[in-house]
Amino acid sequence: GVLSSIVIALATNLATKMLVWIKRDIKKTKGVNATSIPELAAALMGGGGQAGANLLVILCQCGVCIAYNIFLGVSLTAIVEGLIPESHMRQAGYDPYVFFVVCQVLLFCLMVQIKDLASMGPLLIFAQFAMVVAVGIIIVHGLLTPSVCDRD
């Protein structure tokens, strides 16, 4: 795990540097000041490159959102089941995982509708703090209850 984390960090660092190098080269050779990956693709390959880059960025972001939802749903479900071990939620047809995933999807859909994110600064600071606390709780719970990962 640690070795793959190091490899991923190095690959991410290299990819970021390559994007900066390409951006500088495009500005020097073509005079285009590209600020995003689709703009870089458009400068190099035209409209087809920009459409392909947009598609890849959207697919990547969808994958990240799906993985994030699964991680949070599974983690929060394990915590709820750990706090209420004798509950008969599953026997009654209630699965906390589904509840948490639906809540997250609704929250993400509502956040897209916000037009002025600058006014949401205090809420974003609170959300970052809450996320750090939640990740800390998940890590502590995983360390104190190693059987959480062994159940599946």
Side-chain angles (χ1 to χ4, degrees), residues 16-27:
T16 304
K17 287 180 180 179
M18 289 173 64
L19 282 171
V20 172
W21 294 332
I22 291 170
K23 179 185 175 197
R24 289 178 182 165
D25 187 52
I26 288 174
K27 185 167 182 164

Side-chain angles (χ1 to χ4, degrees), residues 54-73:
N54 279 328
L55 177 67
L56 290 175
V57 167
I58 289 170
L59 291 175
C60 180
Q61 291 302 317
C62 285
V64 167
C65 287
I66 290 169
Y68 185 66
N69 278 328
I70 290 171
F71 168 74
L72 284 180

